[in-house]
Amino acid sequence: MAITTLSGYIRQCGRQSGGVSRIGIIPAADIDSVTVTEGVVSAIKFKSGKAFKDYQSELDQAEFTYNNGETNLLLRLNRVGKTASIVVAELEEVAPCGLVAIAQLNNGETALIGYTEEFGLTRPIINVESEFNSGKALTDANYVDVTLKTSQVVPPLFLSESVQIDTLFTAAA
């Protein structure tokens, strides 16, 4: 998308709630194509049998940030233990070959992370950081924070309202 003119910005009405309500992650190699129409993702197609996997974060503990070319997606797994350890190991194993994520925000928007119109899937998420915290006292929080990171030259793209989010979590035939 070559920008040749400025479009301005009108203050948006409606929900402005913060937070992330749903996160999906997929290996970049499992995406067949992404269609971008006028700067908005209008379709995502997967290789046969592939779809985003749901990664449920602890309630009100997921966060999506973009700052000076770095995009971060933080999710909090709600329990230190073997299940969280396996999830982190899988993400760390696949990340060097590339991951793509979607983050559905509480304000109704959904960001696509690890894909840009200019570079396609050649600049996916390749960095996964994790922190396990068992807490000290019986009343302390017990969690695993996982942060997916990528560097992009432009802010992430967002999905069109016409894209049905639930279908992105259903494997293609």
Side-chain angles (χ1 to χ4, degrees):
M1 175 170 110
I3 298 174
T4 58
T5 184
L6 297 176
S7 59
Y9 180 80
I10 305 296
R11 186 175 53 84
Q12 303 291 302
C13 294
R15 271 190 307 174
Q16 297 179 33
S17 305
V20 175
S21 59
R22 190 171 191 185
I23 295 170
I25 304 172
I26 189 171
D30 291 349
I31 293 180
D32 194 36
S33 66
V34 176
T35 304
V36 179
T37 307
E38 297 179 7
V40 177
V41 176
S42 55
I44 301 174
K45 293 193 174 147
F46 306 107
K47 302 262 166 74
S48 181
K50 305 298 181 178
F52 281 103
K53 295 293 182 183
D54 216 336
Y55 283 79
Q56 294 181 2
S57 183
E58 185 69 6
L59 189 61
D60 296 332
Q61 296 299 311
E63 181 180 39
F64 155 73
T65 60
Y66 172 80
N67 186 16
N68 292 325
E70 183 171 282
T71 304
N72 295 321
L73 180 59
L74 167 77
L75 62 138
R76 178 167 284 181
L77 309 179
N78 69 340
R79 184 177 182 184
V80 172
K82 61 184 171 287
T83 302
S85 185
I86 290 168
V87 166
V88 170
E90 287 173 350
L91 290 170
E92 289 176 344
E93 178 73 22
V94 177
C97 293
L99 296 169
V100 173
I102 54 173
Q104 187 174 24
L105 310 180
N106 286 330
N107 69 5
E109 301 281 349
T110 302
L112 178 64
I113 304 163
Y115 176 90
T116 64
E117 196 170 6
E118 182 178 2
F119 297 107
L121 294 167
T122 64
R123 306 241 348 136
I125 298 163
I126 57 171
N127 188 354
V128 175
E129 296 177 358
S130 60
E131 176 186 337
F132 287 63
N133 188 334
S134 69
K136 293 178 187 173
L138 191 57
T139 56
D140 288 348
N142 178 304
Y143 60 88
V144 177
D145 278 346
V146 180
T147 305
L148 308 174
K149 295 183 169 200
T150 185
S151 295
Q152 305 287 348
V153 295
V154 294
L157 294 167
F158 282 80
L159 277 58
S160 165
E161 292 85 18
S162 66
V163 177
Q164 297 296 315
I165 301 301
D166 289 339
T167 64
L168 299 177
F169 290 87
T170 304

